[in-house]
Amino acid sequence: MIIYVDIDGTICSQQSSKEYNLAEPDLCRIDKVNKLYEEGHTIHYWTARGTRSGIDWTDVTKSQLTKWGCKYHKLSVGEKPAY
């Protein structure tokens, strides 16, 4: 199964100031997603970071996912509609 996972407000704190580099991980939720990965599901992190501003947050986001121990197959940054 392919599972799409939002980042901000789901696996880390929501940054109303859009300073995504200050986000704090929710390790319990990350562990749950990692378990799905280990069970053979395809994990696709999908975020609206930069959708409105045009700022490319890809490097920051990849660094955070690595630092937080997130297991995933694909990352899409700025492609998810902002809502």
Side-chain angles (χ1 to χ4, degrees):
M1 178 183 298
I2 299 172
I3 300 172
Y4 286 81
V5 182
D6 188 25
I7 295 176
D8 299 297
T10 303
I11 64 157
C12 68
S13 58
Q14 182 76 37
Q15 295 300 308
S16 60
S17 63
K18 305 300 182 206
E19 294 182 63
Y20 300 112
N21 54 315
L22 301 178
E24 293 293 327
D26 185 322
L27 298 178
C28 181
R29 290 182 179 180
I30 290 170
D31 287 345
K32 289 179 183 180
V33 176
N34 284 348
K35 185 172 190 272
L36 293 169
Y37 176 98
E38 291 164 4
E39 291 173 354
H41 300 285
T42 299
I43 304 300
H44 183 156
Y45 280 108
W46 200 41
T47 180
R49 291 178 175 192
T51 300
R52 290 185 184 161
S53 69
I55 297 170
D56 185 356
W57 289 97
T58 303
D59 291 340
V60 169
T61 305
K62 281 183 179 179
S63 177
Q64 288 172 319
L65 294 178
T66 299
K67 181 179 176 182
W68 300 340
C70 298
K71 298 177 182 180
Y72 63 98
H73 298 91
K74 187 172 179 184
L75 169 65
S76 295
V77 178
E79 298 173 4
K80 178 182 162 203
Y83 56 89

